[in-house]
Amino acid sequence: MNEPERERHFIERILELLRLLEDSGIDVDRLADGSVSHESFTAQQHDLRTALDIISFMDEIPGGFFIYYANGSEDIIYANRGVLRIFQCETMQQFRELTGNSFRGLVHPEDLDAVEESIWRQITASQYDLDYVEYRIRRRDGSIRFVEDYGHFVHSPAVGDVFYVFLGDATDERSQQQMEQKRLLAEALEKSNLAIQAKNTFLSNISHDMRTPLNAIFGYTSLAKLNLHDPDCARHYLEQAEIASHELLDMITQVLDMSTLSSAAGPAEDELDLCRMVEELCDFLLPQAQEKDILFSLDTSRIRHSRIYADQAKLRQLVLNLINNAITYTNDGGRVSVTLSEGDELPSSYAIYRIAVSDTGIGINEKSLESIFEPFTREKNSTLSGIHGIGLGLTIAKQIVDMLGGTIDVKSRVGEGSTFTVTLRMRIQPATIIPRDDTVAVKSSCRILLVDDNEINREIETELLERMGFIIDSAENGQVALDKVRRSAPGDYDLIIMDLQMPVMDGWRSSSEIRALPDPTLSHIPIIALSANAMVSDRRKSQQCGINVHLSKPMDLPQLLDEIDKLVKYR
Ligand code: ADP
């Protein structure tokens, strides 16, 4: 006999016994109440006695057991004493009244639809017509319990379609689960409230901090317009507006950096020269230090392997933020020193690198030190001292260090200075390094193809660059640029400055097409992207399209000149 047959046989046998008892005038319902005495049967009634014993045995099992029709009525045929106990009924009569004698009346109305749907879904999918459901029931005293229901569907030509069910009270287990769920929910709610709070603080800070330079831009531009008759005065106002514009740009960049960092994928593995990178950063920041008469030094003597693999953009930003702060928060005539050091080589060509940025600046008090890496943390004295900033630089630095799997520490004393130390484990490049194919044009005067769809931008950039002595040709989209390069003779263009988002053909596509030109003197023309797309993914795309440098708009002329200088050598 296979499993379903055995089941059918079992249930048919029970129903047969029940019928036998009923036909002999025995009130089966009263069996579960325990009010029928076995002794009342004589020896002649042997069959009946056996039936009675078997059915009574069903009352001894610890859990609930019941049978109901699987047709539309879902009437309950039989329930053992365990079921009565779960429902807190003393008699079968009470149970039938409480449930309306049907499975539908037994399940809590709010759970019924889901339970029925689940039972039929499982039965249809199950080889042995089994199902498992959990639902609430209401006991006779009105209290709610959770039960587990192991159901079996039996199709019997003899008795019709029925379900027989083993029922267990799982309330204690459930309430524990519910308590756990409640705790998790409360925790999630608290977290989301904190996130909302953080977002609100962020928005109010950012809108306040952005309005400040924006007001200055508006104010100084109006003043400049009113003073056009006095060029010195107008220039002064425009310079002030320019400073405020830079400040606003820095803020937007920082906010963008922070949001991209929190959503960014893992760090990149660029080949880079650590010492060279930090040297370049120091060169870049030197004028700022010189303006304040700060003695600025860089020590790379303890680096044995400068060529490493690391996320260049992130590492640059991290070091830049620290040096920038050191200069910002150091008074005129102070000292800022940057020290790189390398620990012993670890297995698999890794080594521990330390980057320490020390200054003799204003220092940070102990209390502020505790939350210095939190967003928008600004020491009061730095705000009062008129130093602008929004308090994201160190948050970004910390996020980068976390992303790179390192640590950042700070030691500081008010009035004496601060030292920020970053420790990172980085992989050393193998000794043989293939030189990069950076083609450099050699010219006496540099010819630039300027590609931008915006006429005003083209006009401003052309004028600024021509004043710097460059010879400018322009194109209004990527397609025109490509055609011009294709038709050009070698040497006609030493450099291309490429906007990215343009109609007809964008700057990325145009650059890829230029890189694919058969004539190497044309396909190797250096390209600088100058674009409003400042996201990391855009920079990556530029890299993939063979663009040498990706600068963001608005154009920072000294930075652009610096890059041109690196890419184009003059005779
Ligand atoms: P921001 O400089 O834009 O305010 P940061 O996150 O870079 O934001 O720095 C947060 C605060 O930490 C600064 O406002 C300043 O009070 C303090 N701080 C950071 N670096 C230094 C430093 N080298 N010396 C003194 N204070 C510093």
Side-chain angles (χ1 to χ4, degrees):
M1 213 186 281
N2 61 26
E3 195 64 35
E5 278 172 3
R6 236 197 312 273
E7 264 193 77
R8 199 180 66 229
H9 181 71
F10 163 70
I11 215 73
E12 281 174 352
R13 185 87 182 102
I14 288 189
L15 291 175
E16 194 183 303
L17 292 173
L18 285 169
R19 196 167 308 124
L20 179 68
L21 291 171
E22 266 172 358
D23 290 349
S24 329
I26 293 170
D27 185 353
V28 177
D29 276 4
R30 289 181 56 217
L31 281 176
D33 319 349
S35 52
V36 175
S37 158
H38 295 211
E39 274 66 51
S40 55
F41 296 100
T42 62
Q44 291 87 335
Q45 294 170 305
H46 178 74
D47 279 0
L48 279 180
R49 210 189 149 109
T50 314
L52 196 60
D53 280 347
I54 292 172
I55 297 300
S56 300
F57 181 68
M58 304 297 293
D59 286 325
E60 301 305 320
I61 55 175
F65 172 81
F66 67 100
I67 307 169
Y68 68 96
Y69 283 118
N71 56 22
S73 79
E74 297 187 350
D75 279 352
I76 294 168
I77 306 165
Y78 167 79
N80 75 345
R81 200 177 295 167
V83 173
L84 301 199
R85 257 198 311 273
I86 292 172
F87 280 82
Q88 243 189 3
C89 295
E90 277 157 28
T91 63
M92 193 62 195
Q93 179 67 21
Q94 286 176 352
F95 175 69
R96 290 201 196 276
E97 276 168 16
L98 180 69
T99 58
N101 196 36
S102 107
F103 176 72
R104 298 178 64 82
L106 175 147
V107 180
H108 193 290
E110 285 174 16
D111 297 348
L112 187 63
D113 286 350
V115 165
E116 287 198 321
E117 201 268 327
S118 169
I119 290 176
W120 285 112
R121 194 167 16 89
Q122 292 181 63
I123 296 295
T124 319
S126 158
Q127 190 188 352
Y128 296 120
D129 295 339
L130 303 180
D131 73 82
Y132 169 77
V133 277
E134 290 178 25
Y135 46 85
R136 286 170 298 170
I137 56 150
R138 193 185 291 281
R139 296 203 293 191
R140 217 163 81 85
D141 66 354
S143 59
I144 302 288
R145 307 290 285 180
F146 289 96
V147 293
E148 291 178 327
D149 164 323
Y150 295 85
H152 300 233
F153 173 75
V154 176
H155 171 69
S156 158
V159 293
D161 293 347
V162 294
F163 269 105
Y164 73 94
V165 173
F166 291 100
L167 196 72
D169 188 332
T171 308
D172 292 343
E173 227 169 85
R174 266 315 198 86
S175 47
Q176 262 183 12
Q177 273 176 14
Q178 276 194 331
M179 268 162 59
E180 179 61 12
Q181 267 170 3
K182 263 192 193 152
R183 196 186 59 75
L184 289 175
L185 265 178
E187 232 177 63
L189 191 69
E190 198 186 316
K191 270 192 197 153
S192 103
N193 281 340
L194 282 178
I196 291 170
Q197 236 172 45
K199 190 193 81 188
N200 289 344
T201 319
F202 177 83
L203 285 178
S204 76
N205 277 321
I206 211 77
S207 59
H208 167 267
D209 282 302
M210 283 191 174
R211 261 170 213 285
T212 313
L214 207 55
N215 280 342
I217 297 170
F218 272 112
Y220 284 125
T221 326
S222 310
L223 283 172
K225 267 162 64 184
L226 290 173
N227 286 284
L228 288 177
H229 55 277
D230 179 351
D232 282 347
C233 185
R235 174 176 295 117
H236 168 73
Y237 288 135
L238 286 173
E239 277 167 4
Q240 293 303 318
E242 195 180 14
I243 293 171
S245 316
H246 277 289
E247 214 170 277
L248 187 62
L249 181 65
D250 284 349
M251 273 184 208
I252 294 173
T253 313
Q254 285 196 3
V255 172
L256 268 181
D257 284 345
M258 213 176 72
S259 69
T260 45
L261 271 177
S262 55
S263 62
E269 275 239 322
D270 306 314
E271 284 178 5
L272 70 96
D273 185 325
L274 181 66
C275 295
R276 205 173 119 193
M277 188 197 85
V278 179
E279 269 162 27
E280 279 173 8
L281 283 175
C282 290
D283 282 350
F284 177 63
L285 291 168
L286 190 64
Q288 212 175 305
Q290 279 168 341
E291 225 171 82
K292 292 177 81 178
D293 225 1
I294 287 173
L295 193 63
F296 191 32
S297 66
L298 167 66
D299 178 1
T300 57
S301 59
R302 270 166 284 173
I303 295 289
R304 296 185 310 279
H305 304 94
S306 184
R307 294 196 150 268
I308 50 164
Y309 294 104
D311 191 319
Q312 169 135 324
K314 303 224 164 52
L315 203 55
R316 263 181 82 98
Q317 194 178 1
L318 165 67
V319 181
L320 185 78
N321 286 8
L322 296 182
I323 307 181
N324 195 31
N325 275 353
I327 298 175
T328 308
Y329 297 105
T330 296
N331 293 326
D332 291 10
R335 272 197 322 274
V336 169
S337 55
V338 182
T339 312
L340 306 188
S341 56
E342 178 183 340
D344 288 341
E345 195 170 332
L346 305 170
S348 318
S349 301
Y350 278 90
I352 301 285
Y353 289 84
R354 276 206 177 77
I355 305 167
V357 180
S358 299
D359 63 61
T360 57
I362 58 173
I364 305 160
N365 69 44
E366 248 176 72
K367 194 153 185 338
S368 306
L369 272 181
E370 286 167 19
S371 57
I372 199 84
F373 296 110
E374 302 290 322
F376 302 112
T377 324
R378 304 210 66 225
E379 260 212 288
K380 228 184 182 161
N381 62 5
S382 55
T383 317
L384 292 177
S385 64
I387 300 169
H388 296 288
I390 49 172
L392 285 180
L394 288 181
T395 311
I396 292 172
K398 173 82 169 78
Q399 279 186 357
I400 293 177
V401 170
D402 286 347
M403 179 179 258
L404 302 180
T407 58
I408 180 164
D409 296 306
V410 51
K411 288 201 170 52
S412 187
R413 282 178 92 98
V414 175
E416 291 183 17
S418 319
T419 300
F420 285 82
T421 309
V422 171
T423 309
L424 294 168
R425 178 175 158 275
M426 296 190 284
R427 193 152 67 92
I428 302 165
Q429 285 181 32
T432 45
I433 290 136
I434 305 132
R436 287 249 301 271
D437 183 21
D438 275 349
T439 308
V440 163
V442 181
K443 295 281 299 181
S444 53
S445 77
C446 177
R447 293 156 191 273
I448 296 177
L449 176 62
L450 178 73
V451 194
D452 199 313
D453 61 318
N454 184 306
E455 206 181 328
I456 299 174
N457 281 350
R458 272 203 316 271
E459 195 185 312
I460 296 174
E461 286 159 17
T462 303
E463 181 160 350
L464 285 174
L465 291 167
E466 277 178 351
R467 278 173 183 233
M468 296 292 133
F470 296 104
I471 300 161
I472 306 294
D473 185 15
S474 61
E476 62 269 28
N477 63 51
Q479 181 65 58
V480 177
L482 176 63
D483 293 342
K484 284 197 171 194
V485 173
R486 218 182 249 145
R487 284 198 307 267
S488 71
D492 275 359
Y493 299 119
D494 300 316
L495 180 89
I496 302 168
I497 295 179
M498 181 77 85
D499 183 22
L500 291 176
Q501 270 175 358
M502 288 180 290
V504 188
M505 184 188 280
D506 68 30
W508 286 305
R509 168 97 192 275
S510 179
S511 303
S512 305
E513 300 267 346
I514 292 170
R515 290 286 176 256
L517 291 175
D519 181 345
T521 51
L522 300 180
S523 68
H524 281 68
I525 299 175
I527 304 178
I528 296 180
L530 194 58
S531 157
N533 300 38
M535 310 293 274
V536 176
S537 53
D538 298 320
R539 289 177 186 280
R540 207 161 284 156
K541 199 166 162 192
S542 295
Q543 229 174 17
Q544 284 159 0
C545 295
I547 290 172
N548 302 61
V549 180
H550 181 123
L551 300 179
S552 33
K553 281 185 182 170
M555 182 172 91
D556 177 338
L557 194 57
Q559 193 189 10
L560 179 64
L561 293 180
D562 203 37
E563 294 299 344
I564 296 177
D565 219 40
K566 280 186 216 155
L567 291 168
V568 185
K569 291 264 182 293
Y570 310 93
R571 235 186 301 219

